[in-house]
Amino acid sequence: MPPLNPVFGHLFVLANVMAKLPKDAHQHYLPDQLRRTYPDMGPIFYLDAWPFISLTLVVASPSTLAQITTEHTLLKFPAIRAFLYPLTNGRDLVSMDGQEWKTWRSIFNPGFSAKHLMTVVPDIVKETKVFCDVLQEHANQQDVFPMKALTDNLAMDVIGKVVLDSNLNTQLSSNPMVNALRRQMLWMAFGSEGNPFTQYNPLRPLVHAYNTWQMDKYISPEIDARFAMQQGFAMQDTQARSKDTVPGKSVIDLALTAYLKQNPDAASTQGIDNDFKKLAISQVKLFLFSGHDTTSSSLCYILYLLSAHQDSLSRLRTEHDEVFGSDPSQAAGRINKDPYLLNKLPYTAAVIKESLRLFPAASTTRSGEPGFSITDSKGRQYPTEGCLVWLISHAIQRDPAYWPQPDEYIPDRWLAAPDDALYPVKGAWRPFEHGPRACIGLELSMIEMKIVLALVARSFSVEAAYKGFDAKDDKGAIRTVNGARVYQWGAGQPCENLPCRVKNF
């Protein structure tokens, strides 16, 4: 544990660490920076930052995390539910626990399975081609633009199509539901913000209500339409159905299929069960929120790291030549014809994994329990009662105890043999977490990122453009973390939303 002040806890220690970081750096840098400052501290320690946050038990050990995520799953920390409540009213897979969570996770799992997602690859390719068109416009203009804005719109269009079979078209135009979702995100709060006005802004409930109305007004009829199609399909005589007739392939379609199997009488009723519909709307909003922002940020980091490591970019392009043919314009058609080509890209997968190791999108917080302690490799026990238990993937994925040259971009570590020093330690890569509550969107995110690289890497070159921002900075302002100009801010996004230029390759 870091040095503890008997009155102020770890506030002074944290202040000293934060003073060495950019003012807007993401908070998940703190445990790793503490490890660098106190290298003998160990991967499990308590942090006392009262009154700003509950007593925190930081856990950055792969073997120990299994005790929390797999062997004995701790409940999500209440602040997460509070944060998501304006979006989902507490009816979402993140906020649910126990049997309710198991039931609804099983209903939504089929839509996110790797096998099923191969059937929606053409939809992802279609949206990625639009993304390429937008990149081409910027290549023609040779302007500086925020890459995060473009990847946000791409990821939103993809998740909208995959989850709801809806053409949101945010890459080319404004969508009222997406606008409301993005406004809602700006007004969501954990309840532990230092600014009292942020916590208790009297306008927040009104803004939340209006944005919810806007989102539900769009999503509700979409679900009604999917239900009507499912209902009609279910009522058809089996022999009368065409062999080519399918009840839809979106996540909501598959969830409705599971729902109708469990509730066969619903197929003959006038409409969808109101409780199921409310939950479905909440889940759609959760998927749109969490499914677009994290993938969008990850794409930015991948493109940045490839631009900063031209040898890696060259190897990736060579792999794509070998798998998709030497003509980049043919890649989309070949992927549509055989989506399983995406499984023949070991170096591309290595690039993605290494980028997510260096820049994981998020961490996880759980609630401690009375009588439950975690045990480290030396047999020492750490009681969790009354604690916020912080499962911090960033600290693990930058720890030299698990990763040789942890701050270096080395995709080859993902191609190393088990006897190689670079070979990853089991459980040390956790951008999607592990265990039964691991991210449901893992396969979708990986497929989407592979498709984007397959269509972009051989047609465009991306270059970060921070000079304009740095020239405006106050003298002496810290703008790097561990020597890297690109760092994570906000909710894990690239700082300044990755200003860049793009040109044709």
Side-chain angles (χ1 to χ4, degrees):
M1 185 170 68
L4 181 70
N5 184 291
V7 177
F8 297 102
H10 291 118
L11 293 180
F12 290 153
V13 169
L14 291 172
N16 289 334
V17 169
M18 293 171 65
K20 300 175 184 178
L21 295 171
K23 293 181 179 179
D24 51 10
H26 194 281
Q27 63 183 3
H28 72 192
Y29 282 112
L30 291 176
D32 179 58
Q33 295 300 312
L34 285 168
R35 176 191 59 76
R36 294 168 191 258
T37 305
Y38 305 100
D40 297 327
M41 182 175 59
I44 306 171
F45 56 90
Y46 292 97
L47 276 181
D48 181 3
W50 187 88
F52 299 101
I53 196 168
S54 303
L55 179 65
T56 301
L57 177 58
V58 176
V59 185
S61 163
S63 59
T64 308
L65 280 174
Q67 299 172 36
I68 303 169
T69 60
T70 305
E71 298 168 15
H72 181 92
T73 304
L74 292 178
L75 301 181
K76 295 285 185 177
F77 194 66
I80 299 297
R81 294 185 179 88
F83 178 75
L84 290 173
Y85 193 86
L87 199 64
T88 67
N89 290 317
R91 303 297 306 278
D92 64 85
L93 287 176
V94 174
S95 302
M96 291 176 181
D97 289 310
Q99 187 57 47
E100 183 184 34
W101 173 82
K102 291 180 181 179
T103 298
W104 291 107
R105 176 79 181 225
S106 68
I107 286 176
F108 286 105
N109 269 340
F112 289 98
S113 70
K115 181 179 179 180
H116 170 71
L117 289 171
M118 285 298 175
T119 69
V120 299
V121 161
D123 293 322
I124 302 175
V125 168
K126 180 180 177 181
E127 299 299 346
T128 305
K129 290 174 70 175
V130 175
F131 178 70
C132 291
D133 291 341
V134 177
L135 285 180
Q136 186 59 56
E137 292 179 7
H138 286 288
N140 294 339
Q141 297 171 13
Q142 280 297 289
D143 59 340
V144 175
F145 63 95
M147 179 61 77
K148 183 65 165 62
L150 272 61
T151 56
D152 270 355
N153 290 336
L154 164 63
M156 184 67 79
D157 282 348
V158 168
I159 196 70
K161 188 67 178 177
V162 171
V163 169
L164 203 56
D165 196 22
S166 179
N167 297 310
L168 300 180
N169 203 32
T170 58
Q171 296 189 85
L172 300 177
S173 62
S174 176
N175 181 289
M177 188 275 295
V178 174
N179 293 341
L181 174 64
R182 288 173 171 168
R183 289 194 303 268
Q184 196 81 320
M185 290 167 60
L186 295 174
W187 283 80
M188 291 162 66
F190 285 99
S192 58
E193 289 74 14
N195 187 338
F197 187 72
T198 301
Q199 289 193 50
Y200 306 111
N201 190 328
L203 294 178
R204 177 173 282 109
L206 299 176
V207 174
H208 284 169
Y210 176 74
N211 290 332
T212 297
W213 174 72
Q214 285 281 338
M215 289 184 283
D216 292 358
K217 184 175 68 169
Y218 182 95
I219 297 171
S220 179
E222 291 280 341
I223 291 179
D224 285 338
R226 310 314 301 171
F227 178 76
M229 185 181 73
Q230 292 275 343
Q231 194 178 40
F233 184 83
M235 293 180 67
Q236 283 182 7
D237 181 87
T238 303
Q239 295 182 346
R241 294 177 188 165
S242 165
K243 66 178 182 179
D244 297 323
T245 302
V246 294
K249 57 184 181 180
S250 72
V251 171
I252 286 298
D253 283 318
L254 269 63
L256 284 167
T257 298
Y259 167 73
L260 287 173
K261 285 182 178 179
Q262 295 178 12
N263 302 273
D265 292 342
S268 60
T269 61
Q270 293 299 313
I272 188 172
D273 176 78
N274 192 52
D275 188 61
F276 177 87
K277 184 176 179 180
K278 287 181 179 179
L279 187 139
I281 291 173
S282 293
Q283 283 305 138
V284 168
K285 289 186 286 188
L286 176 72
F287 292 147
L288 291 173
F289 164 63
S290 58
H292 94 277
D293 191 48
T294 52
T295 299
S296 169
S297 294
S298 296
L299 283 170
C300 287
Y301 296 125
I302 294 167
L303 294 173
Y304 162 72
L305 287 167
L306 284 171
S307 72
H309 299 85
Q310 289 293 311
D311 56 336
S312 177
L313 178 57
S314 178
R315 286 180 62 183
L316 181 121
R317 286 168 170 164
T318 297
E319 180 175 79
H320 292 180
D321 284 343
E322 294 170 352
V323 175
F324 304 121
S326 58
D327 183 356
S329 67
Q330 300 299 310
R334 296 197 175 200
I335 294 171
N336 284 340
K337 185 177 180 180
D338 182 8
Y340 287 92
L341 287 175
L342 296 171
N343 293 336
K344 299 179 179 180
L345 301 170
Y347 189 74
T348 302
V351 165
I352 294 171
K353 287 184 176 181
E354 184 67 352
S355 301
L356 292 175
R357 182 188 70 82
L358 291 169
F359 296 103
S363 56
T364 302
T365 55
R366 303 289 176 93
S367 293
E369 291 181 1
F372 179 73
S373 299
I374 58 175
T375 306
D376 69 8
S377 59
K378 297 180 179 180
R380 292 173 298 197
Q381 292 197 327
Y382 297 80
T384 66
E385 182 175 359
C387 292
L388 181 162
V389 183
W390 193 3
L391 291 63
I392 182 68
S393 56
H394 182 275
I396 296 174
Q397 294 176 186
R398 293 278 188 149
D399 193 332
Y402 313 117
W403 306 93
Q405 301 172 267
D407 293 329
E408 299 300 317
Y409 170 79
I410 308 176
D412 279 320
R413 68 175 87 238
W414 299 100
L415 305 174
D419 60 348
D420 192 313
L422 285 175
Y423 189 75
V425 173
K426 182 180 179 181
W429 188 73
R430 316 182 70 90
F432 299 96
E433 255 313 317
H434 289 205
R437 299 202 67 144
C439 177
I440 195 172
L442 184 159
E443 295 292 347
L444 173 60
S445 182
M446 293 296 290
I447 290 172
E448 182 177 349
M449 289 186 283
K450 287 180 182 179
I451 291 173
V452 171
L453 289 177
L455 271 59
V456 169
R458 293 184 295 164
S459 297
F460 301 98
S461 293
V462 177
E463 178 186 0
Y466 280 98
K467 290 183 179 179
F469 287 87
D470 294 341
K472 299 175 184 178
D473 272 344
D474 296 333
K475 288 185 178 180
I478 299 172
R479 304 307 297 167
T480 62
V481 176
N482 301 327
R485 178 60 184 87
V486 174
Y487 59 88
Q488 294 177 281
W489 72 353
Q493 300 95 338
C495 57
E496 285 91 22
N497 295 317
L498 187 58
C500 62
R501 290 186 180 88
V502 65
K503 60 182 179 181
N504 292 110
F505 172 67

